[in-house]
Amino acid sequence: VVITGAARGVGAALAAALAGRGARLALLDHDGAALRATAAALPATTLALPVDVTDAEALHDAAEAVRGRLVPPSAVVANAGGAGSFMK
């Protein structure tokens, strides 16, 4: 399962719940230090990828890293990101 915005809040809570059920996780967040701390606290094997999901190139690179480790992800939880010009 891929979760964006996974370093804290809803994303971290979801990661903890899924990890407790044995899910293999790829966690993405722009705050690398907080993300690593969240991942280290989980009982399941977790791939922690510091990435700004509003940066298309960085997100592409993260997707490639996930493909190399979790093929195919069973779900993607889009819990973070910017609305960009949509909100203007």
Side-chain angles (χ1 to χ4, degrees):
V1 177
V2 177
I3 305 172
T4 67
R8 60 182 58 83
V10 172
L14 181 59
L18 292 172
R21 295 177 184 264
R24 294 176 49 213
L25 303 171
L27 307 180
L28 283 63
D29 200 284
H30 71 279
D31 185 339
L35 181 64
R36 285 186 291 278
T38 297
L42 299 176
T45 301
T46 303
L47 176 61
L49 299 168
V51 62
D52 177 354
V53 297
T54 65
D55 178 334
E57 186 174 333
L59 189 57
H60 179 294
D61 292 345
E64 289 298 316
V66 169
R67 281 189 197 105
R69 304 273 300 272
L70 298 175
V71 178
S74 59
V76 175
V77 179
N79 180 57
S85 61
F86 178 76
M87 298 301 291
K88 291 181 184 177

